[in-house]
Amino acid sequence: MVKEFISQLSPDKLTPFAKHPYQVREDAAMDELVESVRTYGILSPLLARPKGEGYELVSGHRRRLAAQKLGLPTVPVLVREMSDDEAVILMVDSNLQRENLLPSEKAFAYKMKLEAMKRQGQRTDLTSPQVAAKLRTDDEIAKQAGISGDTVRRYIRLTNLVPPLLQMVDDGRIAFSPAVELSYLTRDEQAELWDLIGREDATPSLSQALRMKQLSREAKLTPEVLYAILTEEKPNQKEQIRIKTESLRKYFPRNYSAQQMEREIIKLLEARYRAKNRGER
């Protein structure tokens, strides 16, 4: 039977969860939370567990910071006895549904939960040879999160990136799919790549990342090869003319899609080109 009770505790007495994968950012969302707590108080208790002579916070890190900003002397806390693995799973699950989680936050959260579930012996592999697919632990995590097992596995791959490259993924400078492939490079290769990215102001596309991964497997990804691949001209880097859709709306029916507007513009330009050629003859 789980032992638990609700108590009013000082937010300063709550120790953040060890290796907490989620960032507590002081952004606009935090400002809104502070105002909500100021107006309505903390509507749902934080979750903590006894740890040493104090308490370790399992869920509610953002509410704790909001309370500290407001100088609240105490906050309501549900104190529950739980093992390390139970605490990890609860900590991950209570935050995974938050909006605007960074790729690194999801990556380390899924990894922590996977390791905790494996230690708990919650594997659900189906070993019968008649069963074509096996439900693995990461597939069970994916099912609970409403995503595919491959997505969970790809997020966990990001934990193999060196911190500077992972930060670039969080910043949106490297897309998710190329980042997954880059995670297969050795740490030395990743460090060399990060240095090149800074010097050349270029990031690898998915096709380039796949080639880097294959060459790394073949032990052929030298700094010279990395440079040659990264500095190739990409199709999306060729000169283009961009016109915002809203700038064109007034010239077309309201129900026209961007593709329809593009086709009409091309027709008009072709007609103008033909008329100009006729006039020059």
Side-chain angles (χ1 to χ4, degrees), residues 139-183:
D139 289 317
E140 180 62 25
I141 292 172
K143 181 179 178 182
Q144 294 171 6
I147 57 178
S148 70
D150 282 343
T151 299
V152 168
R153 288 184 280 276
R154 283 160 64 79
Y155 267 112
I156 292 175
R157 279 299 319 173
L158 296 184
T159 64
N160 293 283
L161 287 173
V162 295
L165 288 182
L166 185 55
Q167 184 61 54
M168 293 185 75
V169 180
D170 283 344
D171 293 341
R173 293 189 59 196
I174 298 179
F176 177 75
S177 292
V180 172
E181 305 307 325
L182 295 175
S183 72

Side-chain angles (χ1 to χ4, degrees), residues 39-58:
T39 304
Y40 305 106
I42 294 180
L43 301 179
S44 58
L46 289 66
L47 177 63
R49 64 171 180 158
K51 190 74 176 289
E53 297 182 359
Y55 300 94
E56 182 179 50
L57 192 57
V58 176

